[in-house]
């Protein structure tokens, strides 16, 4: 895996809806900008070898970094793969939609649910939203949220941005009724 750079973003929300948030709502994102393992090869039928050489290494790199940046136990989490213009969305999907990648984060966060994801193709500086859900129960509405990310110089056409996001809590000032009230 050829990593060009790693970006860490930490957001602390202190006020929401005109009311203080205490403790501050904390969300962390860590992204690695990597060379697309299928770059320059044209259409590749079997993505397996590229997944094998890259997915686990990316998960092992990012999972501890995002939890360290969060500075608290994760309650919600998500992932992203943003492919540069010379790649296929399937390249990003292949890297993040495998247990080789996701299990690093699940184990580090003591999580059991599937990681919600975004994958798309775009130019450097593209804005993308990472969806987050609760780490052990995807039906807990308070933890359904998104975090917006933009990396000014990534992805280059032959790169992929692989990112993980974690939140230490649900949405600030959340007050929706539990899903069970509608069933």
């Amino acid at each position: 895996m050829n990593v060009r750079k790693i970006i860490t973003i930490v957001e602390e929300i202190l006020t929401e809806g005109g009311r203080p948030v205490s403790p501050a709502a904390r969300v962390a994102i860590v992204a690695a900008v990597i060379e697309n393992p299928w770059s320059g090869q044209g259409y590749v039928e079997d993505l397996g070898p590229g997944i094998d050489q890259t997915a686990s290494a990316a998960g092992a790199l990012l999972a501890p970094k995002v939890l360290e940046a969060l500075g608290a136990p994760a309650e919600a989490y998500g992932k992203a793969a943003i492919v540069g213009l010379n790649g296929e969305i399937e390249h990003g999907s292949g890297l993040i939609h495998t247990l080789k990648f996701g299990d690093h984060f699940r184990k580090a966060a003591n999580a059991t649910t599937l990681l919600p994801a975004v994958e798309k193709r775009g130019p450097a500086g593209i804005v993308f939203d990472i969806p987050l859900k609760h780490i052990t129960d995807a039906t807990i509405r308070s933890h359904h949220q998104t975090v917006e990310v933009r990396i000014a110089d990534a992805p280059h056409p032959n790169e992929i941005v692989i990112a993980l996001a974690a939140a230490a809590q649900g949405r600030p000032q959340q007050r929706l009724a539990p899903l069970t009230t509608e069933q």
Side-chain angles (χ1 to χ4, degrees), residues 3 13 16 18 48 54 61-62 72 79 81 86-87 89 94 135 144 146 150-151 159 168 174:
V3 179
I13 301 170
E16 180 69 24
T54 308
L61 173 69
L62 296 175
K79 62 187 174 183
N86 289 347
I89 293 172
I135 64 169
H144 294 194
T146 59
R150 178 183 176 273
I151 302 168
E159 292 179 332
Q174 76 79 27

Side-chain angles (χ1 to χ4, degrees), residues 61-117:
L61 173 69
L62 296 175
K65 287 184 180 295
V66 72
L67 293 174
E68 180 182 337
L70 186 62
E75 289 188 14
Y77 67 169
K79 62 187 174 183
I82 311 304
V83 180
L85 292 175
N86 289 347
E88 299 175 43
I89 293 172
E90 191 69 3
H91 296 163
S93 295
L95 294 179
I96 67 169
H97 291 303
T98 173
L99 297 177
K100 294 171 186 175
F101 176 78
D103 274 355
H104 290 283
F105 201 9
R106 267 186 288 284
K107 288 175 186 171
N110 296 314
T112 56
T113 58
L114 292 175
L115 280 152

Side-chain angles (χ1 to χ4, degrees), residues 102-143:
D103 274 355
H104 290 283
F105 201 9
R106 267 186 288 284
K107 288 175 186 171
N110 296 314
T112 56
T113 58
L114 292 175
L115 280 152
V118 62
E119 57 268 48
K120 65 194 279 186
R121 179 177 41 234
I126 190 166
V127 174
F128 57 97
D129 291 340
I130 302 176
L132 305 175
K133 293 200 186 252
H134 195 277
I135 64 169
T136 61
D137 185 348
T139 67
I140 297 177
R141 287 181 174 175
S142 60
H143 288 59

Side-chain angles (χ1 to χ4, degrees), residues 9-97:
I9 302 165
V10 177
E11 176 180 285
E12 289 185 322
I13 301 170
L14 305 173
T15 304
E16 180 69 24
R19 301 183 74 176
V21 176
S22 183
R26 194 170 172 93
V27 179
I29 304 105
V30 175
V33 180
I34 66 170
E35 182 180 358
N36 184 331
W38 302 280
S39 181
Q41 298 177 39
Y43 181 84
V44 176
E45 183 65 35
D46 181 7
L47 299 179
I51 292 169
D52 289 344
Q53 75 181 29
T54 308
S56 182
L61 173 69
L62 296 175
K65 287 184 180 295
V66 72
L67 293 174
E68 180 182 337
L70 186 62
E75 289 188 14
Y77 67 169
K79 62 187 174 183
I82 311 304
V83 180
L85 292 175
N86 289 347
E88 299 175 43
I89 293 172
E90 191 69 3
H91 296 163
S93 295
L95 294 179
I96 67 169
H97 291 303

